[in-house]
Amino acid sequence: MSAVQALGYYDFFAGVGMVEVALTTGWHCVWANDFDPKKAAVYCANHDPKVFHLGDVAEVQAEDLPPGAVMAWASFPCQDLSLAGWRRGMAADRSGTFWAFWRLMRELHAKGRRPPLIVIENVAGLLYGPDFGGLCEALAALDMQFGALLIDAERFVPQSRPRVFIVAADARADVSALTERDHEDSPWSDKRVVAAYKSLGSRLQEQWRWWRLPVPKSPIRPIESLIFDEPIGVSWHSEAETAHLLSLMSPTNLAKIERAKQQPGQSVGFLYRRTRVDGQRAEVRFDGLSGCLRTSTGGSSRQTVVVVEDGAVRTRLLAPREAARLMGLPEGFRLPDRYNDAYHAMGDGVVVPVVSWLDKHLLTPLARKLTIPYSASLIPLSDRRQFRDAADSRARLWLASKS
Ligand SMILES: C[S@@+](CC[C@H](N)C(=O)[O-])C[C@H]1O[C@@H](n2cnc3c(N)ncnc32)[C@H](O)[C@@H]1O
C-alpha cells in the first residue's frame, strides 16, 4: 500500500469519465453522477461502475455522497453559456444545473462536510456578464477563496479549446505558496479573466486568488500523427462530395487549399461548415490545430478532415478515435459504438493532459494543504451570510423555473 493516502473526490456531471482518466496519480473517485444513460454505459465500461450514480443531479441528496472527499469537480453543462447557445446564462435550464450542485455543497457545508477544494470547468462564456459574479458569490457563500484560469488546450494537444477552470479552496487555508501576486505574473489570466475579476465587487475581489500554474514546455504532438489513413467508423468522401465542399469555400479559403498543394508531403487541415447570410460556407484551417470539438446540441457542425498530398485533396469526417486523440485520451479508452454518441461525448469532455497538468501543479499541492487543520476563516461572517442569501435566491429561482 502507498504511504500517501489517495485523495477522494466527487465527479459531478461526469459524462464518460474523462476527468477520472486525467486524475490518475493520488486521486480516487468515490462518487460520480450523470443523467445520460449512454454516457453512463461508457463511463462504466472504462471505470469502476460501483461509484457511478445515474440520475438528475437535482435529485441527489447530501446523504448520498460518501464522506471524506477532498474535492468536488463540476463540469456543468455549457450550452447556455456558449455563443452557439445564445448565452441564455446560468438561470437557464441546462447551465442552471450548477445551482443543484451548489445546493448540495451548501448542505454539506452546513454539516461541516463540504470538500475543501471545488473545481468548476466550463467554456470561456462563463466569464462574461453578471452570472460570473453570481457564481463567485456562491463560492464565497461556501466560505471559499477562488480564482479562474483560462487554459487553451492547444498548449497540450493540437486542438484549439479554451476552457475556464475555477479553482476554489477553503478560505481558512493559507494558499499563498500557490498563488501569484497579480494577473501580470499569471500566464493563464488574459484580458477576459482580468475583466471578469474587475467586474466583481471589492469584497469578492478580496477572496480572489491568482493561482500559480506553469506553462508546459514540451512541444505538442503533430496533427499528422493523429490522423489515420484508413480510419474506422468513417469513410473518405467521393470526389464529387469533396468538390462540393470546395465549392462552398470563399477565395481566401480556396487560397489556403492552393498553398497546401504547394507544400512537400502531406498537409492536414480541418474544415467547418458555417451558415452565413448568403448560405452555407466552408472554412478551412492548416495551422496544425483542429477547431474546438463541440457537441451538435451546441449548434455547430462536425469537423471534416482535409488531407492534401501530391496536389490531390481528400476529405472525410473526423473519426471517433481521432477525436479521442484530440482530447488526449489514451488509445485503450473505450468509446461509444455509435458515431454521433462518440462525437458528442468527446465534444463535451475535458482535455486529459490539461487536467493532469492542472492537477500535478496546482490541485494535488492544494489538496495536500487543505487536508491539514485550519485556523479561522478569512471571510467575515456577515459577508458570508450575504453571499449565501444571494446565491440561495438564485438557486431557488432556477428550481422554480424548472417546475
Ligand atoms: C460538459 S459535460 C461534462 C463531461 C465530463 N466532464 C467528461 O469529461 O465526459 C456535462 C455533463 O452534464 C450532464 N448533465 C446535464 N444535466 C444534468 C443533470 N441535470 N443531472 C446530471 N447530469 C447532467 C450531461 O449529460 C453531460 O455529460
Side-chain angles (χ1 to χ4, degrees):
M1 229 173 87
S2 113
V4 183
Q5 213 190 339
L7 301 161
Y9 72 99
Y10 307 137
D11 192 358
F12 283 87
F13 311 102
V16 296
M18 288 157 76
V19 171
E20 203 168 331
V21 179
L23 299 181
T24 42
T25 30
W27 290 98
H28 171 55
C29 180
V30 293
W31 183 91
N33 166 254
D34 202 286
F35 74 168
D36 180 336
K38 288 183 191 162
K39 286 192 178 172
V42 179
Y43 180 100
C44 294
N46 287 289
H47 305 293
D48 179 0
K50 288 197 287 297
V51 302
F52 190 88
H53 299 264
L54 179 67
D56 190 334
V57 64
E59 306 292 326
V60 177
Q61 307 297 319
E63 304 77 64
D64 300 336
L65 299 166
V70 177
M71 176 170 74
W73 184 286
S75 290
F76 68 97
C78 64
Q79 290 93 336
D80 301 313
L81 299 169
S82 63
L83 276 178
W86 301 104
R87 308 272 308 275
R88 280 175 286 251
M90 280 177 63
D93 194 33
R94 290 170 298 184
S95 295
T97 43
F98 168 80
W99 296 111
F101 163 75
W102 179 79
R103 280 170 75 105
L104 278 168
M105 291 301 113
R106 193 198 144 175
E107 212 179 316
L108 289 184
H109 187 41
K111 294 177 195 295
R113 282 182 46 205
R114 186 254 298 114
L117 179 60
I118 292 181
V119 183
I120 290 162
E121 182 259 344
N122 215 296
V123 294
L126 181 64
L127 293 169
Y128 312 140
D131 283 339
F132 185 69
L135 186 133
C136 293
E137 212 161 37
L139 292 170
L142 296 173
D143 206 2
M144 303 193 94
Q145 49 193 327
F146 47 81
L149 303 116
L150 184 61
I151 305 181
D152 195 327
E154 68 180 37
R155 292 188 186 247
F156 299 84
V157 291
Q159 180 191 173
S160 163
R161 190 178 183 86
R163 287 292 182 270
V164 178
F165 296 82
I166 298 180
V167 177
D170 195 300
R172 292 170 295 179
D174 176 2
V175 295
S176 48
L178 294 165
T179 57
E180 305 288 5
R181 263 176 314 129
D182 69 22
H183 62 87
E184 286 179 8
D185 302 322
S186 162
W188 310 102
S189 301
D190 76 354
K191 57 180 192 290
R192 289 169 285 184
V193 180
V194 176
Y197 162 75
K198 287 189 174 157
S199 74
L200 302 176
S202 59
R203 283 176 308 140
L204 285 176
Q205 284 184 350
E206 273 166 36
Q207 305 316 323
W208 184 274
R209 304 290 172 262
W210 299 105
W211 297 117
R212 177 170 296 163
L213 184 71
V215 172
K217 297 274 187 287
S218 337
I220 59 167
R221 214 174 141 177
I223 193 79
E224 290 76 17
S225 72
L226 266 74
I227 300 300
F228 293 106
D229 204 34
E230 300 293 338
I232 297 171
V234 291
S235 338
W236 290 99
H237 289 149
S238 66
E239 278 182 26
E241 284 167 321
T242 300
H244 174 65
L245 285 175
L246 294 176
S247 76
L248 298 176
M249 284 187 188
S250 65
T252 315
N253 281 278
L254 282 173
K256 290 186 201 170
I257 298 277
E258 286 312 312
R259 276 199 296 277
K261 284 184 182 169
Q262 310 307 319
Q263 299 301 315
Q266 193 185 65
S267 297
V268 174
F270 288 86
L271 177 150
Y272 269 117
R273 282 174 189 240
R274 296 196 193 278
T275 308
R276 299 278 184 230
V277 271
D278 53 346
Q280 276 266 318
R281 288 273 163 218
E283 291 172 10
V284 71
R285 64 191 292 173
F286 284 97
D287 58 355
L289 300 173
S290 80
C292 185
L293 298 183
R294 297 171 209 267
T295 57
S296 46
T297 43
S300 306
S301 66
R302 298 189 189 95
Q303 296 201 45
T304 298
V305 178
V306 182
V307 174
V308 181
E309 197 169 10
D310 298 329
V313 182
R314 289 185 299 156
T315 59
R316 61 167 168 80
L317 284 179
L318 183 73
R321 184 54 65 188
E322 292 165 338
R325 288 176 168 186
L326 286 171
M327 298 302 288
L329 278 167
E331 297 296 301
F333 189 85
R334 294 181 66 181
L335 297 172
D337 292 332
R338 289 186 51 229
Y339 182 89
N340 283 350
D341 296 342
Y343 201 87
H344 186 91
M346 296 303 103
D348 253 357
V350 292
V351 171
V352 171
V354 172
V355 175
S356 298
W357 184 262
L358 181 70
D359 171 39
K360 179 173 173 204
H361 297 281
L362 181 61
L363 302 183
T364 289
L366 249 181
R368 298 282 172 214
K369 278 191 182 302
L370 295 168
T371 41
I372 54 173
Y374 314 108
S375 52
S377 170
L378 299 174
I379 308 183
L381 186 64
S382 57
D383 280 8
R384 253 185 287 151
R385 285 204 182 114
Q386 209 178 323
F387 295 146
R388 185 200 57 206
D389 293 347
D392 229 4
S393 72
R394 283 194 183 88
R396 272 201 303 274
L397 222 85
W398 174 74
L399 275 177
S401 74
K402 268 182 74 112
S403 50

